[in-house]
Amino acid sequence: MSAIQTYVRTTAPRGRETERVGPFLATYSSNKHPMLNYAIPDDGAQPTAAELEALTGAYRRRGLLPRLEYFTDVAPDLEKLLVGAGYELERRVPLMTCAPSERVDVPAPAGIRLRTPESDDDLRRMRAAQNTAFGEPAEIGDAEVEQLKAGLDAGVRHLLAEAGGVVVGGGLALEIVDGTTEIAGIAVLEEYRGRGIAAALTARLTRELHEAGAHTAFLTPGDLGIGNVYARVGYRPAGECVHLSMS
């Protein structure tokens, strides 16, 4: 679990401003979305009241919601300290991992093509489909396309699902660091769900990562339903991730 948390500390700052605040790595994005701005604790973090106040102030000064995301096993005493300081639990989600020996390959369903984005338009349409699936605005500006392209240069992998030329979903895998990597953003438009597209996207990305040398792929499902999809392709519960914030 410590290795996975270390992976997040290494990859989360990419493209963000960072700051050390006590036993925390605070990350700040130019995008004000709460999910892109959060702090990550050191292993075994037991911050003082003053350090928690400093962390809260660092986000307040930037007009951001003070937030943390971390795996509970690496800092088991922290949640109680945060709640005592006024933070509230947003959600508790499972961490799931998959080793090469556990992976189950799932083919794309009939009529669905999985492929790597090949152009700016592909990236734009893929991200628009993902945003729509997650209930976010579908409009994708040029700056976001450039960010996606920069991620490709850093080792991020994208995979889109296409039905008759229409992009209906997608997913991504972050770079591999010391044999560990994360899969995220698996999303399928509502009208195309229930066909096995999400499972196929996850299985294909996981296979590519294992073939590229990863020994541990992990993800954090947003709900039980998508967790069951990931279980179909070989992912198993390995811990939990908590999100806490102060409104």
Side-chain angles (χ1 to χ4, degrees):
M1 192 64 66
S2 180
I4 294 176
Q5 188 69 82
T6 298
Y7 176 89
V8 175
R9 288 194 204 97
T10 301
T11 58
R14 305 284 168 81
R16 304 180 194 176
E17 178 188 352
T18 64
E19 177 185 15
R20 291 295 309 187
V21 182
F24 302 101
L25 175 65
T27 72
Y28 315 112
S29 172
S30 57
N31 184 327
K32 301 294 185 179
H33 195 292
M35 299 295 285
L36 298 176
N37 295 273
Y38 56 87
I40 306 165
D42 293 341
D43 287 10
Q46 293 185 327
T48 64
E51 288 171 332
L52 288 174
E53 184 177 352
L55 181 68
T56 302
Y59 283 88
R60 298 283 196 219
R61 287 192 300 273
R62 291 169 171 80
L64 299 170
L65 180 72
R67 290 186 75 252
L68 297 96
E69 295 186 10
Y70 67 96
F71 301 115
T72 53
D73 284 356
V74 304
D77 299 325
L78 180 57
E79 184 175 346
K80 182 178 180 180
L81 293 172
L82 289 167
V83 171
Y87 281 79
E88 297 180 351
L89 179 68
E90 290 181 352
R91 62 176 184 162
R92 194 182 305 276
V93 297
L95 166 72
M96 303 181 76
T97 62
C98 182
S101 62
E102 301 168 328
R103 188 185 71 248
V104 178
D105 287 319
V106 175
I112 300 297
R113 179 189 181 197
L114 304 184
R115 65 178 179 87
T116 301
E118 299 172 351
S119 66
D120 289 6
D121 184 59
D122 280 348
L123 289 169
R124 193 184 304 273
R125 292 190 299 143
M126 179 194 68
R127 181 50 62 90
Q130 290 171 299
N131 283 1
T132 300
F134 287 131
E136 300 285 347
E139 295 75 18
I140 307 300
D142 293 341
E144 186 167 355
V145 172
E146 291 304 313
Q147 288 179 343
L148 292 173
K149 291 164 65 175
L152 294 173
D153 293 337
V156 176
R157 299 166 184 261
H158 291 280
L159 186 66
L160 62 79
E162 200 171 40
V166 177
V167 177
V168 301
L172 64 93
L174 300 181
E175 59 265 46
I176 299 171
V177 178
D178 294 332
T180 300
T181 184
E182 179 180 11
I183 286 180
I186 301 294
V188 176
L189 295 177
E190 186 173 4
E191 58 267 38
Y192 290 89
R193 293 174 188 168
R195 305 185 188 183
I197 299 173
L201 283 165
T202 306
R204 168 80 169 270
L205 281 169
T206 304
R207 175 168 56 81
E208 291 181 357
L209 293 167
H210 288 158
E211 291 175 349
H215 56 66
T216 302
F218 74 92
L219 44 74
T220 51
D223 57 52
L224 181 61
I226 193 65
N228 290 335
V229 171
Y230 298 144
R232 285 180 52 202
V233 303
Y235 283 81
R236 298 292 179 262
E240 67 173 12
C241 179
V242 289
H243 300 179
L244 298 103
S245 62
M246 182 185 289
S247 57

